[in-house]
Amino acid sequence: MSKLVVLVSGGGTNLQAILDAFPNQVISVIADRDCYALVRAANAGVAAHLVDRKLYRDELSERINALIPDDCDLIVLAGFLSILDSQLIQRFNHKIINIHPSLLPRHGGAGMWGIKVHQAAIKSGDQESGCTVHYVSEEIDGGAIIAQAKVIITPDDTAESLQQKVLAHEHELLVGVIRKLLSIN
Ligand code: GAR
């Protein structure tokens, strides 16, 4: 049985999609702040850890690292907003994936998360946006792209409506990639 660890910071709709698709494979959920995703983990009976980014600052990655067992098959950043250090990234080389709410390399990098990504897409006059699942490397949002899903931006779209459109595609994209990487049918 594959072992998944999911890192979260927010509402956890991506986490929920993972819990629904792989009910027996998520061994723990780790949050860097108090958030609704922790409630979702608890409701699913999954071990949930809060490693507060404000409390631990420079030690955040180290503490997260200590919570993840060597035999973890995949770490999924599902709306996780802190930056992981190279020690953790190198320990789980090609075993950490992230979902980002744009068509990378557009609108990625430091400070680009959540609604800011969609504001940037609207402001740039983009005609399409979407979401990307990629491997996590030491370059923020710069790791190899695994899969993308596109959405059309219509003239009446706002950053908020675009966010909802993109989020609706994220769940399927992320679950599909996890299924493929772990070869779960
Ligand atoms: C998602 O849209 C995800 O792509 C984004 O945060 C949201 C989390 O939603 N991630 C980033 O912006 C990372 N740079 P969720 O908590 O409902 O899954």
Side-chain angles (χ1 to χ4, degrees), residues 83 98-114 116-118 120-121 124 126 129-130 132 134 139-143 145 148:
I83 305 301
N98 178 48
I99 182 139
H100 184 81
S102 74
L103 295 175
L104 289 174
R106 282 190 80 67
H107 313 307
M112 289 303 278
W113 53 269
K116 293 183 205 177
V117 178
H118 305 292
S124 307
D126 293 356
S129 190
T132 302
H134 64 93
E139 184 191 343
I140 298 172
D141 296 329
I145 291 173
Q148 293 184 310

Side-chain angles (χ1 to χ4, degrees), residues 41-53:
N43 287 343
V46 171
H49 307 274
L50 171 58
V51 183
D52 196 308
R53 74 199 196 285

Side-chain angles (χ1 to χ4, degrees), residues 61-62 65 84-93 138:
S61 274
E62 208 179 311
N65 207 354
L84 297 173
D85 71 13
S86 54
Q87 200 192 348
L88 178 51
I89 293 170
Q90 282 165 19
R91 177 179 171 212
F92 290 102
N93 187 28
E138 288 174 55

